[in-house]
Each structure stands twice: as C-alpha cells, then as structure tokens.
Amino acid sequence: MKLESFWTDTAPRFAGASDAPLPRKASVVVVGGGFTGLAAARALAMAGTDVVLVEAGRVAGEASGRNGGQCNNGLAGDLGGLAAKIGMDAARALYHAFDEGVDRVEAIVRDEQIQCDFVRNGKLKLADKPEHGEKLGKTAEMLAREVEPNLRLIDKADLHREIGSDQFHGGIVFPRSASLHMGRFAAGLAEAAVRHGAVLHEQAGVTAITKIPGGRHRIETAKGPIEADAVLLATGASMKGPFGWMRRRIVPIGSFIVATQPLRPGQVARLMPGRRNCSTTRNVGNYFRLTADDRLIFGGRARFALSSPRSDLKSGKVLEAGMARIFPELADFPIDYTWGGIVDMTADRMPRAGERDGIFYSTGYSGHGTQMSVLMGERMARVIAGDAAANPWANLKWPAIPGHFGTPWFLPLVGAYYRYQDWRR
Ligand SMILES: Cc1cc2nc3c(=O)[nH]c(=O)nc-3n(C[C@H](O)[C@H](O)[C@H](O)COP(=O)(O)OP(=O)(O)OC[C@H]3O[C@@H](n4cnc5c(N)ncnc54)[C@H](O)[C@@H]3O)c2cc1C
C-alpha cells in the first residue's frame, strides 16, 4: 500500500517547470501552483500578460492533486441559509457560479485536449438517517424550484439502482456534476499554461512580499527575488510563509482518502451501478466514487487532525471501517493507496476572493474546490486586468475567526462539536 495520492502517482509528472533563474520582474506573479494558480496563469498568458508562477513544492502537490476527484456543482453550504443572508437572487447567482466552474473545467479539458477521463456522471447526495431523508426531500423541492430543475429525488426503495448499500434513506442526483483524474488534469493544465507563455517555477516558495515604489511588489522566494506589478495569492490551505491575515480566516481541515484495488468483475454493477460522485449528509460524513479503472476512492474527515504519513495511516483505518459499514462485502478488500490533504474551509463554507493592500487572493472553497478554483483562477485573471465585477465573491465580508491566530489549536473542539451534531440529528 502506498502512502501517496493515487492521482499524482498515476499521472505523468509535469515536466515544463523552468530550470532557468527566476526573471527579475514580471507583470503578474502568481503564488501557488494548484488549480487556482494554474488556471490564472493560463488565462493571464492567453491574454498576453507576462506572468510568472512560483510554487513552493511541486505543481498540484497539495489539495489540487490530493482530493476526492469530484467536480460537483452546488454550494458547499445551504442555499436557503445563504438566501436568508443575501437574498435569493444573489444566492442563485453564487449557486450558478459552481455550474459555470464545472463547465469551465470541461471546456479546458476539451480545448487543451487533456486526457483525464472527464465525465458528467452526476453527484448523489445520500441521507445517512431517516430524518436526513425527510430534510433532503425539502431541500430538493427548493433546489428544483430555484436553481436545479433537472435534479432527481430518489426514495430509499429505489436507491438500489444507484448504490448497492442498505445504509441510506434516500438521495438526490445532481446530473451536471462531473468527475475526472485530478493528476492528469493538473499536469495538462500546467503544460497548457506554459504553452500559452506562462513561466512556472517549482521549489520557489515565497517567504516575503513587500511594497516598492510605483505601487509594485518585491517577492522573496527560495529561488531569489522577483518584482511584479500585481500579485495573486493562490496558496490554498497549505499556505506557507507570510500570509497570517489569510491564515486567521481559514480553518485548515484534514481530509483523508483510501483507494482500493480495482473492484472485481460484478462488484461495480452490485455496489456502484450509478457510478455517481457520492457524498453523505453527516457533518463527519464520507465521499466516494469509482475511478476509470474501477477502484473505489473513499474519503472523509475521519479524524480532526492534519495530514502526515502517520496521521494518514490512522485515518485510513477509520475510513476502511466506514467503507465496510456502507459496503459489507468490501471489508478487508485490498487498499492500494492512503493519503490525506488539507481543505481550505471558511467559517460559512463560502469562498473568498478579492484584493488587500494591492495583493489579490482567492481561496476558501471549503471542499468544493476543483471547479471553483479553476473558475476563480480565470476570474481573478480578469480582476487583475481591471474587471472587478468578474469576482462573484467580492461582496462577502471576511472577518478573522475569533481566537484563531494562525495555528488551528481548536480542530479537536470543532470535531467534537460536529460529532455531537451528527449524534443529535
Ligand atoms: C483530501 C481532500 C479532498 C478533496 N476533495 C474534493 C473533491 O472531491 N471535490 C472538490 O471540488 N474539492 C475537493 N477538495 C478541495 C479542492 O481540492 C481544493 O479546494 C482545491 O484544489 C484548491 O486549489 P488551490 O489551487 O486553491 O489550492 P492548492 O491546490 O492547495 O494549491 C496551493 C499551492 O500553493 C502552494 N503554496 C503555499 N504556500 C506557498 C508559498 N509561500 N509560496 C509558493 N507556493 C505556496 C502550495 O504548495 C500548493 O501547491 C478536497 C481537498 C482535499 C485536501
């Protein structure tokens, strides 16, 4: 069993990073080579902007290359709650931004001819408890009326056509959602950015950013300094370096995944006949899907801890037990991969993007990041070019989380709170 991401282990390693010295200046420096940074670098280069991307480790080495492989539409939070705060029209627009995110991923895959198994297989939200089934019914009614006319509510009795498990109490299918091989998409996106003229540097972690005369910025990196007219921070939750302001606003939640060996003949038809992107309704729930070669990728929060090889192993055992509860015939089924990563969560599970002190940022996708990071990379390229209205999240305030000074000491408390909520309802 390998302690690394199935996606990065089974994709060609991106080989287009520059080994030349860092240029002295660029119009835009993008910090971070996950999907946000890569999509921004590609879009900026396509618009003719001189752009340099600096990545602390390897391209897509963090969340973008370590996630659950789901590219779902739909908000991470709930539409009704959001509408109560900002009005239904504005909430609808933010909901549809996720639809557009999935469309943008599909368009890039097509335009750049990236072989990454992109397929619109649909998301299946599964009710963990009878009460959750009732609540899903109400949610489905509102979503169908306001934003998602093609969704399908599925009763417990009909669920076996989608999933071979007796654990659930109904579900909703969101047909627009998609899945893809994240490692191959990341490598293809990075190669496309370079083809269009972006310069990508790996092992070039940023350690300081200072203002210099003329409203410009000096960025210190592990490969030396570079000056830029504009900087985009696309550092996700793994942000290392001088980003205390953002760190105090992000809850870095560990999420963990196991990938089985390919299922045996007959098991796919028995266990996952719908081949959907599944997720469950509990706060400490699970998400799972099949790969193109019929492995089950099974993830969840498992433990409220950050990712490390030891932590990933412990979490993998919790996940194996969860997988066996849902699919008893997979108890003791061989596991080929176990890994973990850090999710860029905000307190209200809505993304945040904007500009502060002349530095642009986009983050906080709260587990719904594959489509939103790609959309926001492209949108922030437009914002940097002067089109402020391109940022759909511009009007959301972003206060610091009380008591959060950068180190998430409170994660065990958050975990205990969520587990209590799951036990109660
Ligand atoms: C385990 C897990 C499962 C997930 N599952 C899903 C899913 O199924 N579907 C979904 O939609 N979303 C999922 N997500 C969320 C999604 O993967 C992320 O929201 C998205 O990839 C974020 O992209 P990003 O480019 O903003 O950040 P990242 O991919 O984290 O990239 C940020 C990059 O910035 C670099 N960096 C940090 N600091 C510096 C610095 N100082 N200098 C230079 N570079 C720096 C990092 O090394 C990193 O490569 C999951 C996340 C995790 C961790």
Side-chain angles (χ1 to χ4, degrees):
M1 199 252 306
K2 293 185 176 179
L3 277 177
E4 60 189 288
S5 158
F6 167 76
W7 307 121
T8 43
D9 191 50
T10 56
R13 176 87 158 86
F14 165 62
S18 172
D19 49 16
L22 204 60
R24 279 187 38 245
K25 54 185 179 176
S27 297
V28 180
V29 165
V30 174
V31 185
F35 293 149
T36 306
L38 294 172
R42 173 179 174 272
L44 286 159
M46 286 174 85
T49 307
D50 156 34
V51 53
V52 172
L53 182 152
V54 284
E55 160 56 47
R58 60 177 278 194
V59 154
E62 299 292 344
S64 297
R66 307 179 68 80
N67 59 45
Q70 306 195 3
C71 182
N72 295 329
N73 69 320
L75 296 165
D78 111 270
L79 180 71
L82 182 62
K85 280 193 209 143
I86 64 171
M88 185 52 91
D89 284 350
R92 247 192 244 111
L94 294 182
Y95 188 98
H96 289 311
F98 286 87
D99 295 346
E100 193 188 338
V102 182
D103 294 349
R104 286 308 307 148
V105 173
E106 183 174 38
I108 292 174
V109 168
R110 186 190 55 231
D111 295 349
E112 304 293 356
Q113 298 183 19
I114 303 173
Q115 305 303 315
C116 62
D117 307 320
F118 180 96
V119 54
R120 295 258 185 183
N121 57 325
K123 169 175 79 175
L124 174 61
K125 186 86 189 176
L126 290 159
D128 274 312
K129 295 180 173 184
E131 311 86 276
H132 296 190
E134 283 165 33
K135 198 169 163 223
L136 268 194
K138 288 187 190 130
T139 303
E141 221 175 272
M142 180 180 29
L143 292 178
R145 186 177 66 240
E146 300 292 346
V147 286
E148 191 82 42
N150 295 327
L151 68 67
R152 265 190 317 118
L153 183 63
I154 305 182
D155 288 339
K156 183 174 172 65
D158 295 327
L159 214 46
H160 62 276
R161 288 193 206 130
E162 292 286 349
I163 180 169
S165 171
D166 297 328
Q167 283 291 305
F168 300 107
H169 303 267
I172 307 179
V173 173
F174 297 73
R176 297 180 70 113
S177 293
S179 61
L180 61 152
H181 188 300
M182 294 294 166
R184 291 201 210 135
F185 177 63
L189 184 58
E191 275 154 22
V194 171
R195 247 189 338 268
H196 291 293
V199 176
L200 270 58
H201 281 264
E202 294 183 318
Q203 308 301 330
V206 169
T207 50
I209 304 178
T210 47
K211 272 197 178 159
I212 54 175
R216 303 177 75 245
H217 306 274
R218 180 181 159 100
I219 301 112
E220 309 292 340
T221 83
K223 281 189 160 181
I226 178 169
E227 292 181 9
D229 299 328
V231 179
L232 172 64
L233 297 184
T235 46
S238 62
M239 64 190 103
K240 309 155 185 94
F243 311 124
W245 184 84
M246 280 209 303
R247 223 177 271 128
R248 286 191 293 276
R249 285 157 173 82
I250 290 282
V251 186
I253 298 255
S255 196
F256 304 88
I257 298 178
V258 292
T260 66
Q261 278 184 6
L263 300 187
R264 298 192 183 111
Q267 283 185 312
V268 169
R270 230 174 15 253
L271 303 180
M272 291 282 284
R275 297 195 79 98
R276 307 283 190 190
N277 297 338
C278 298
S279 63
T280 64
T281 49
R282 275 184 218 274
N283 288 310
V284 190
N286 292 109
Y287 48 89
F288 47 99
R289 58 159 277 208
L290 293 171
T291 57
D293 66 347
D294 290 342
R295 296 166 190 275
L296 189 66
I297 299 270
F298 190 90
R301 280 178 203 150
R303 296 160 54 249
F304 279 76
L306 294 180
S307 172
S308 69
R310 207 163 142 248
S311 178
D312 295 356
L313 259 183
K314 274 192 189 168
S315 301
K317 292 290 165 211
V318 177
L319 290 172
E320 282 179 55
M323 186 169 76
R325 256 193 313 276
I326 294 173
F327 301 116
E329 78 171 79
L330 293 186
D332 301 323
F333 196 80
I335 301 294
D336 275 353
Y337 293 87
T338 299
W339 72 95
I342 306 174
V343 179
D344 48 335
M345 202 71 90
T346 58
D348 62 3
R349 307 188 72 197
M350 295 294 155
R352 291 297 193 282
E355 180 190 350
R356 185 173 173 271
D357 288 344
I359 295 178
F360 297 88
Y361 61 88
S362 181
T363 187
Y365 312 127
S366 302
H368 286 217
T370 54
Q371 61 312 83
M372 191 45 64
S373 56
V374 170
L375 180 79
M376 286 309 297
E378 294 189 330
R379 292 297 189 95
M380 292 312 286
R382 280 167 51 189
V383 172
I384 291 169
D387 177 10
N391 176 9
W393 310 101
N395 293 331
L396 296 188
K397 293 201 173 69
W398 200 16
I401 294 168
H404 185 3
F405 305 107
T407 307
W409 58 269
F410 46 81
L411 282 187
L413 299 180
V414 174
Y417 172 76
Y418 280 143
R419 287 206 167 85
Y420 172 68
Q421 292 290 342
D422 282 341
W423 170 78
R424 216 163 61 96
R425 357 172 244 240

